[in-house]
Amino acid sequence: MIGERISDKTGRSRRDAGPTATVEDVARLAGVSRATASRVVNDSPRVSPEARDAVRRAIEELGYVPNRAARSLMTRRSDSIGVVILEPATRLFGDPFFGHLLLGINAGLADSDVQLVLLMAQDRREEARVEKYLDAGHVDGAILVGPHGDDQLPTRLARRRVPIVLSGRPLGGGGLSYVDSDNRNGARMAVSHLVAGGRRSIATIHGTLDLGSARDRLDGYRDALTDAGYVLDATLEAAGNYSPAMAAEAMRVLLDRHPDLDGLFAASDSMAAAAVGVLLDAGRRIPEDVAVVGFDDTPVAMTVRPTLSTVRQPIEAMGREMSRLLLRRIDDPADAPSQVVFATELVVRESSVVS
Amino acid sequence: MIGERISDKTGRSRRDAGPTATVEDVARLAGVSRATASRVVNDSPRVSPEARDAVRRAIEELGYVPNRAARSLMTRRSDSIGVVILEPATRLFGDPFFGHLLLGINAGLADSDVQLVLLMAQDRREEARVEKYLDAGHVDGAILVGPHGDDQLPTRLARRRVPIVLSGRPLGGGGLSYVDSDNRNGARMAVSHLVAGGRRSIATIHGTLDLGSARDRLDGYRDALTDAGYVLDATLEAAGNYSPAMAAEAMRVLLDRHPDLDGLFAASDSMAAAAVGVLLDAGRRIPEDVAVVGFDDTPVAMTVRPTLSTVRQPIEAMGREMSRLLLRRIDDPADAPSQVVFATELVVRESSVVS
DNA sequence: CTGAAAGCGCTAACAA
DNA sequence: TTGTTAGCGCTTTCAG
């Protein structure tokens, strides 16, 4: 029932030229059976060198590429993973963080021929859609970026045995795999640096507190002050929620409450930059009157004047690690969840030291 | 040969719980044939209301979700499109442009159950890999972001009948579908605005000239000067290649060549921001001494002091349109290529007008 | 080491 | 309108 056919049938598809050779074609040309051809394609060791060579040549000649759908149907693997962005649009816009992370994730996939399916969920409705998609097993696993405190999605997926890795420590459930940077220590270093510079009234603009990173950075801020024997003052803390606009407003409030403040730690560079704008507008000199440290070491830190001292996290490496963990977990579902925390590093520029 | 089986066989897969009902299961439960069940799933009109209801109930009860691989195998459609980022890492990092664009593209796919496969190619080797992937027909079509002047990838793919849509006017071949903004007119408006403000010596920092956008913005700059009867001066043009660092260097060169320059048009906000830094460092007041206009209206425009006048392009809408065009082309390969150009808009802030 | 055969889950002729 | 049947291209027992 097969007979004459190679790369052509009656009304095959819209693609006229494209490589549509099948294993069948390859096998015939190589003078072996489908099974053997398939074995060669999948690097099975149980193939004689001669057969292997013949098949390889046939593959080359026909420009054969396996049909992923057919393979998936058989292997029950999609050879793709989902990267789910749970963050609302606003953050994605301003923050180069996500681009960096995607790059790292992609790099981590590079020698595995697993594809990256991008799934964005701006609201609960879209999130439900994404959940259904993941649940249906259309991807072999997923990396979840930015789940907030009250979001049960990770837990639900984990319970249904969907392999997942989170970006950032989840506030809720334990037992999940995640990759994070040492936000707390990064913040501690930043604020200790301000203390060491002789600053006495150090404020902070923190991120959305239902995010682990935001909470950890705030804790680090408090750690440093406590270490230095300062008394914590809640009125020196204001929410900027990782938004430049809200950070600007927060800065105004802080300045109003503490006209004498002489140090500021902002939980992101974009918030720091916005705060710097407000400080300059208010006639403060930076760093003479107010020393400022941000977080992330994004390009804006170098663009703004004065250039921004900040805390660097190895975003790309983190993305790569997330891929690595997920692939491992997909390969071996019994693999225990792992948590990986990357070190952060203080980068001192103009905004925090009087030269 | 089927017999007893519903959602369970011997060693099915790693997923223990998940919804693994098949059309077969649905059909049996609904008391109809596989074909009818399939018809209901695919909204075929040739189904009686009763059958439809029964099948719908069964689907609901079993939590049935079609297996994409099996469907693809049959329909020869992957129900996914590739979004190829040809840009080197550096741009992705700083520029919120890509995040915006992805968001738009994704939104354009929202009610089509087509998935977005992200493919990044940082160099020629990776580009070859991506090309092979697209060529193999693993996706139904692709959106190409950032192909540079000498890149033959779009042409090659088009020749092989892979449906594609480009982001930005390609410099090379005609006859390709693309979505762009009116860069030239945007730039012209920006520079005319500087002229109207009485600026006499207006410089520009342009992007990588093997990019249509960069060339168009440079042309728009020249248009405006010519319109105003100014004499073009090549020494007032410097390359920033969309990189803040190179833009800073370009600004230094320009300042050196023309200490009296009183206007600047930068082809991106990030370059404008970097240039502003250099100008401030050089003791120039903005806008009193030098008026500055950027391009893109990214968040940095609001963050920097003074806030940046800029040209806004509807990035998200552009992304949505790209999806729309691609889906249309996939549906009907005979559909002629279309070019869509979105209007740009001048946004005036502090950096260009003395208040 | 190799081949024959079975069948993954689905859709699409073709009949009825 | 519905059911029957034939595969899509691939991997994988199971014999040989």
Side-chain angles (χ1 to χ4, degrees):
Chain A
M1 95 297 199
I2 288 290
E4 220 36 48
R5 151 159 100 60
I6 181 165
S7 285
D8 212 317
K9 291 191 57 179
T10 338
R12 197 170 66 268
S13 92
R14 60 173 168 71
R15 200 73 54 81
D16 288 342
T20 317
T22 72
V23 263
E24 181 79 39
D25 300 328
V26 171
R28 186 158 347 98
L29 183 58
V32 300
S33 73
R34 277 221 303 277
T36 300
S38 175
R39 287 191 188 102
V40 174
V41 172
N42 294 291
D43 291 319
S44 159
R46 318 180 146 287
V47 183
S48 69
E50 305 83 60
R52 189 188 318 283
D53 283 359
V55 172
R56 291 240 169 94
R57 266 196 304 276
I59 289 176
E60 177 69 24
E61 183 167 341
L62 296 172
Y64 169 75
V65 181
N67 178 318
R68 286 177 93 102
R71 174 179 283 175
S72 287
L73 191 53
M74 201 55 210
T75 60
R76 298 174 164 287
R77 286 272 200 104
S78 68
D79 287 326
S80 64
I81 64 160
V83 173
V84 186
I85 310 276
L86 266 353
E87 210 62 47
T90 33
R91 280 224 38 214
L92 237 128
F93 292 4
D95 221 319
F97 178 88
F98 297 95
H100 252 103
L101 196 67
L102 280 175
L103 217 54
I105 291 172
N106 187 60
L109 258 31
D111 35 41
S112 74
D113 114 344
V114 166
Q115 289 307 320
L116 188 169
V117 176
L118 191 63
L119 303 160
M120 310 204 216
Q122 306 277 350
D123 53 44
R124 290 287 160 173
R125 206 180 47 77
E126 290 184 10
E127 195 176 307
R129 206 183 129 139
V130 166
E131 180 170 3
K132 196 175 164 195
Y133 183 83
L134 296 178
D135 225 13
H138 292 320
V139 290
D140 298 332
I143 290 175
L144 268 39
V145 182
H148 285 236
D150 52 340
D151 196 335
Q152 291 302 310
L153 178 63
T155 325
R156 281 200 304 272
L157 289 172
R159 197 158 40 219
R160 301 215 185 96
R161 300 262 148 69
V162 180
I164 55 171
V165 171
L166 308 189
S167 158
R169 176 175 75 83
L171 282 178
L176 299 175
S177 285
Y178 66 81
V179 173
D180 207 345
S181 66
D182 193 345
N183 289 300
R184 184 160 183 167
N185 192 48
R188 202 184 52 67
M189 290 189 294
V191 178
S192 293
H193 164 65
L194 292 174
V195 168
R199 308 297 166 160
R200 303 292 309 169
S201 179
I202 304 175
T204 187
I205 297 177
H206 57 75
T208 328
L209 289 179
D210 61 351
L211 236 37
S213 69
R215 215 170 269 200
D216 291 346
R217 291 172 196 181
L218 180 57
D219 285 344
Y221 158 84
R222 290 173 179 163
D223 287 350
L225 295 187
T226 307
D227 287 353
Y230 286 30
V231 179
L232 293 183
D233 176 355
T235 62
L236 280 168
E237 303 172 356
N241 290 355
Y242 289 131
S243 135
M246 295 194 60
E249 183 51 30
M251 190 66 246
R252 279 181 216 106
V253 171
L254 286 170
L255 223 35
D256 197 49
R257 292 204 288 237
H258 299 276
D260 60 325
L261 67 82
D262 58 5
L264 172 74
F265 167 62
S268 78
D269 285 345
S270 53
M271 292 201 296
V276 163
V278 171
L279 287 168
L280 292 177
D281 288 351
R284 301 299 198 281
R285 292 167 306 156
I286 299 176
E288 292 81 357
D289 300 330
V290 182
V292 177
V293 182
F295 208 109
D296 288 341
D297 197 22
T298 53
V300 75
M302 288 293 284
T303 296
V304 141
R305 288 299 182 278
T307 56
L308 225 48
S309 293
T310 186
V311 178
R312 180 183 299 157
Q313 45 180 342
I315 305 180
E316 211 176 323
M318 290 163 68
R320 256 196 314 272
E321 179 65 13
M322 292 172 65
S323 288
R324 217 181 54 75
L325 286 183
L326 183 58
L327 291 181
R328 201 173 74 192
R329 204 172 173 66
I330 289 171
D331 260 6
D332 174 15
D335 188 57
S338 24
Q339 291 80 33
V340 180
V341 177
F342 281 76
T344 45
E345 177 191 357
L346 179 66
V347 179
V348 177
R349 299 210 180 89
E350 298 168 356
S351 67
S352 66
V353 285
V354 182
S355 52
Chain B
M1 98 294 198
I2 289 286
E4 221 38 47
R5 150 160 100 57
I6 182 163
S7 285
D8 212 317
K9 291 193 59 182
T10 339
R12 196 171 68 267
S13 93
R14 56 171 172 72
R15 201 73 55 81
D16 287 342
T20 317
T22 70
V23 263
E24 182 79 40
D25 299 330
V26 172
R28 186 159 346 99
L29 184 58
V32 300
S33 72
R34 275 220 306 277
T36 301
S38 176
R39 288 189 187 102
V40 173
V41 172
N42 295 290
D43 291 318
S44 158
R46 317 179 146 288
V47 183
S48 70
E50 306 83 60
R52 190 189 317 283
D53 284 359
V55 172
R56 290 241 169 94
R57 267 197 304 277
I59 288 176
E60 178 68 24
E61 184 168 337
L62 296 171
Y64 168 75
V65 181
N67 178 318
R68 287 178 91 105
R71 173 179 284 175
S72 288
L73 193 53
M74 201 54 213
T75 59
R76 299 173 163 286
R77 284 273 199 107
S78 67
D79 286 329
S80 64
I81 63 159
V83 174
V84 185
I85 311 275
L86 266 353
E87 210 62 45
T90 32
R91 280 224 40 212
L92 237 129
F93 292 3
D95 220 320
F97 178 87
F98 297 94
H100 253 103
L101 196 67
L102 280 176
L103 217 56
I105 292 173
N106 188 61
L109 258 31
D111 36 40
S112 73
D113 115 342
V114 166
Q115 288 307 321
L116 187 168
V117 175
L118 191 62
L119 302 161
M120 311 203 216
Q122 306 278 349
D123 53 44
R124 291 287 160 171
R125 207 179 49 76
E126 291 185 9
E127 194 177 308
R129 207 184 129 137
V130 166
E131 180 168 4
K132 195 175 164 195
Y133 183 82
L134 297 178
D135 226 13
H138 292 320
V139 290
D140 298 333
I143 290 175
L144 269 38
V145 183
H148 285 236
D150 52 340
D151 198 332
Q152 291 302 312
L153 179 63
T155 325
R156 280 199 304 273
L157 289 173
R159 197 159 39 220
R160 301 215 184 96
R161 299 263 148 68
V162 179
I164 54 172
V165 171
L166 308 190
S167 158
R169 175 175 74 82
L171 283 179
L176 298 175
S177 284
Y178 68 79
V179 173
D180 207 346
S181 66
D182 194 344
N183 290 299
R184 185 161 184 167
N185 193 47
R188 201 185 53 64
M189 289 189 294
V191 177
S192 293
H193 164 65
L194 291 173
V195 167
R199 307 299 166 160
R200 302 292 309 168
S201 178
I202 303 174
T204 186
I205 298 179
H206 58 75
T208 327
L209 289 181
D210 61 352
L211 235 38
S213 70
R215 213 170 270 202
D216 290 346
R217 290 172 196 182
L218 180 56
D219 285 343
Y221 159 84
R222 291 175 180 162
D223 287 349
L225 293 188
T226 306
D227 287 353
Y230 287 29
V231 179
L232 294 183
D233 175 356
T235 63
L236 280 168
E237 304 173 356
N241 291 355
Y242 289 131
S243 136
M246 295 194 60
E249 183 51 31
M251 190 67 244
R252 277 181 218 107
V253 170
L254 286 170
L255 221 36
D256 197 49
R257 291 203 288 235
H258 298 276
D260 60 324
L261 67 83
D262 57 5
L264 173 73
F265 166 62
S268 80
D269 285 346
S270 53
M271 293 200 296
V276 164
V278 171
L279 287 167
L280 292 176
D281 289 350
R284 302 298 200 282
R285 291 168 305 157
I286 301 176
E288 293 81 356
D289 300 328
V290 183
V292 178
V293 182
F295 208 109
D296 287 342
D297 197 23
T298 54
V300 74
M302 287 294 283
T303 296
V304 142
R305 287 301 180 276
T307 56
L308 226 48
S309 294
T310 187
V311 178
R312 181 182 296 157
Q313 45 180 342
I315 305 181
E316 212 175 325
M318 289 163 67
R320 255 197 314 272
E321 179 65 13
M322 292 170 65
S323 288
R324 217 180 54 75
L325 286 184
L326 184 59
L327 291 181
R328 200 172 74 192
R329 203 172 172 66
I330 288 171
D331 260 7
D332 174 15
D335 189 56
S338 24
Q339 290 81 33
V340 179
V341 176
F342 281 75
T344 46
E345 177 190 357
L346 178 66
V347 181
V348 177
R349 297 211 181 90
E350 298 166 358
S351 67
S352 66
V353 285
V354 182
S355 54

